[in-house]
Amino acid sequence: MTAPVVLIGFGLGTVGGPLANLSLARVPHEDAGAASGLFNTAIHLASPSVPR
């Protein structure tokens, strides 16, 4: 059980930053907060390691 959780954490840590930069790069400055919140919500809902 520990190995999959570690791999998921490593994968999200490795991919999350560049993915956030790529997906939020074209968002207007005044909408950046809402777009960032939506991005973070989507990451949490998609991650199987987040307790629900």
Side-chain angles (χ1 to χ4, degrees), residues 1 5 13-14 18 21-22 24-25 31-32 34-35 39-41 46-47 50-51:
M1 177 71 180
V5 172
T14 302
N21 287 340
L22 182 65
L24 299 175
D31 295 330
F39 177 81
N40 288 329
T41 300
S47 175
V50 176

Side-chain angles (χ1 to χ4, degrees), residues 1-47:
M1 177 71 180
T2 303
V5 172
V6 169
L7 289 174
I8 290 169
F10 181 75
L12 284 176
T14 302
V15 175
L19 183 61
N21 287 340
L22 182 65
S23 62
L24 299 175
R26 302 187 93 192
V27 175
H29 183 71
E30 58 271 4
D31 295 330
S36 176
L38 180 61
F39 177 81
N40 288 329
T41 300
I43 290 292
H44 283 282
L45 290 176
S47 175

